[in-house]
Amino acid sequence: MSDTLTARSNDFAQTFNTAHGEAGLGRVSIAHILQRIQSDPNFLFSDDFRKGAGQCPFHAGKAEGTADGAAPIAQAPIPQDDADKVAVNSLLALLFNRLRDHIAEKLPFDADGRPMLPIPPRSPHGLDPADRAAMAAAAPDVFCSVLRDATCHLLDGLITGWAVDLVREEEYFRSQGSGEISLEAAATFVLRTLLEHSPLYQRAGYDMLSITKTGSHTAIHICWAMVEAAPLLVPGRDAAFYDDLVHRSLKQIVPLSMASLGMLVHYMEESGIEPADGLAVHRLPKDQTAFVLDANGLIRLNADPIVTFAKPGERYYTGCPAFYTTNLIKLYLDIVAGLALDYGVYDRLQEG
């Protein structure tokens, strides 16, 4: 299957942004919030930070004039759920710098320099990714499922190590009793207290670890989906071609990470990226509509499956914290693409 469109590569981002606006959602960039924290760490402990991090659109009761010169109308205060999202995602984006470095430093390799994948504990297939002969003998769908599942569990273990290190660092400074604390330990403390007192995150049962693992599963799922899309869109090429194509196409896929969670989930469901059971272990279906080729031969996102959606009362979104963490999304793709080369995924995908 080959599907080449002549539309500009940035059409998806523009259309996706417009659809958010049509849903009544405004995007809040947290980039300058991170800059404010770096220049003034005490800002983390301020009431302003907890109330939307001082964002202008969020100032409760601010008067807005009308176009016809009528009396100004008081702007409604920011929904508390939205304020919590801004603060929590700002803290996660800050802490994800340590996550990126932790993953890069702790990624396990065997004696031959190949990444070591764990056995997926709940996989119905019972395959060990280290058993190359068994993996090669498995049907392509099973083969892909095991690799996807094992990649998620590999990242889960690394994420747990990151979280443990942060908690230990916070406890270390607490035990010193000097009042001094590192920026990351302070962010960990503030994040935990925010999550514990936020109705939004308590309703979902989310903590720092579960949020990060869920987000990493989504990122790994999308990265594997793009790898699997490459032979669908350009059949009959070798692994080096596909590896180059996937890496060069990453910037085309990044707009997904800038979305609201609701819009992201609906796009994934509508386009075929997200399977019916919501698990990230299924190979991308051949009838997917998410990935197409642009006029330059790069993989890009198709705007057609965009679904306009907002949760009741939702007005603001930030996008994924990983979007604001330099090279974190690239690191996830590098891991997936490296595994694809190591396991001969592109050849297996073209078997059927």
Side-chain angles (χ1 to χ4, degrees):
M1 179 180 76
S2 180
D3 189 358
T4 304
L5 298 185
T6 58
R8 296 188 306 274
S9 297
N10 64 354
D11 278 357
F12 177 85
Q14 293 174 353
T15 306
F16 210 22
N17 185 59
T18 299
H20 278 80
E22 291 171 350
L25 297 175
R27 181 170 175 265
V28 174
S29 172
I30 62 176
H32 75 282
I33 301 174
L34 296 174
Q35 293 173 355
R36 172 78 181 274
I37 294 170
Q38 291 289 345
S39 63
D40 178 18
N42 288 326
F43 180 57
L44 285 174
F45 300 98
S46 68
D47 288 338
D48 217 14
F49 177 74
R50 294 169 184 262
K51 296 177 180 177
Q55 297 299 291
C56 290
F58 295 168
H59 290 169
K62 176 183 176 184
E64 289 187 342
T66 59
D68 59 4
I73 302 172
Q75 185 184 19
I78 175 180
Q80 186 59 51
D81 285 358
D82 287 352
D84 289 348
K85 283 188 298 186
V86 172
V88 166
N89 287 343
S90 298
L91 292 164
L92 286 171
L94 188 157
L95 293 171
F96 281 179
N97 287 289
R98 284 274 289 268
L99 175 62
R100 176 200 58 219
D101 296 343
H102 182 89
I103 292 172
E105 293 170 4
K106 302 294 185 180
L107 195 67
F109 295 93
D110 63 19
D112 297 321
R114 300 190 300 190
M116 298 170 62
L117 291 173
I119 301 173
R122 292 180 293 277
S123 172
H125 307 299
L127 289 177
D128 181 353
D131 188 342
R132 298 296 178 120
M135 290 290 286
D141 283 356
V142 172
F143 169 82
C144 290
S145 176
V146 172
L147 283 180
R148 280 169 162 266
D149 205 353
T151 310
C152 285
H153 284 285
L154 170 66
L155 266 297
D156 280 357
L158 293 168
I159 289 167
T160 298
W162 159 78
V164 168
D165 285 350
L166 288 173
V167 172
R168 285 176 175 168
E169 184 170 320
E170 181 194 344
E171 289 300 320
Y172 167 78
F173 283 104
R174 191 192 309 277
S175 69
Q176 298 303 299
S178 65
E180 294 184 358
I181 190 170
S182 69
L183 178 60
E184 288 80 6
T188 303
F189 167 77
V190 175
L191 176 59
R192 185 176 65 255
T193 57
L194 277 172
L195 291 172
E196 288 174 352
H197 295 94
S198 167
L200 170 66
Y201 291 98
Q202 285 304 301
R203 286 195 301 270
Y206 276 142
D207 57 18
M208 179 176 75
L209 201 58
S210 60
I211 293 172
T212 306
K213 287 185 177 182
T214 300
S216 81
H217 288 189
T218 302
I220 290 297
H221 182 35
I222 292 171
C223 288
W224 272 119
M226 184 162 67
V227 162
E228 293 160 1
L232 289 176
L233 299 173
V234 192
R237 306 301 290 268
D238 62 17
F241 172 88
Y242 293 126
D243 182 62
D244 178 66
L245 174 61
V246 165
H247 278 98
R248 288 190 297 117
S249 300
L250 174 60
K251 63 182 179 181
Q252 318 286 77
I253 311 304
V254 165
L256 277 179
S257 66
M258 299 167 63
S260 70
L261 181 59
M263 292 279 282
L264 170 63
V265 170
H266 278 72
Y267 180 82
M268 292 174 66
E269 291 175 345
E270 183 70 16
S271 66
I273 297 178
E274 182 82 354
D277 61 9
L279 299 178
V281 298
H282 302 291
R283 176 181 173 183
L284 183 72
K286 293 181 180 179
D287 61 354
Q288 65 86 30
T289 58
F291 302 102
V292 293
L293 292 181
D294 68 9
N296 297 315
L298 295 179
I299 300 171
R300 73 165 182 86
L301 294 166
N302 178 14
D304 291 344
I306 291 175
V307 177
T308 300
F309 172 84
K311 294 186 296 184
E314 184 181 24
R315 286 168 46 206
Y316 300 100
Y317 69 102
T318 67
C320 175
F323 171 76
Y324 300 93
T325 307
T326 304
N327 287 334
L328 180 55
I329 295 174
K330 180 181 181 297
L331 176 61
Y332 282 139
L333 180 65
D334 286 344
I335 292 170
V336 168
L339 290 168
L341 286 178
D342 186 42
Y343 278 86
V345 168
Y346 297 112
D347 289 338
R348 297 302 314 273
L349 288 169
Q350 296 183 82
E351 290 178 11

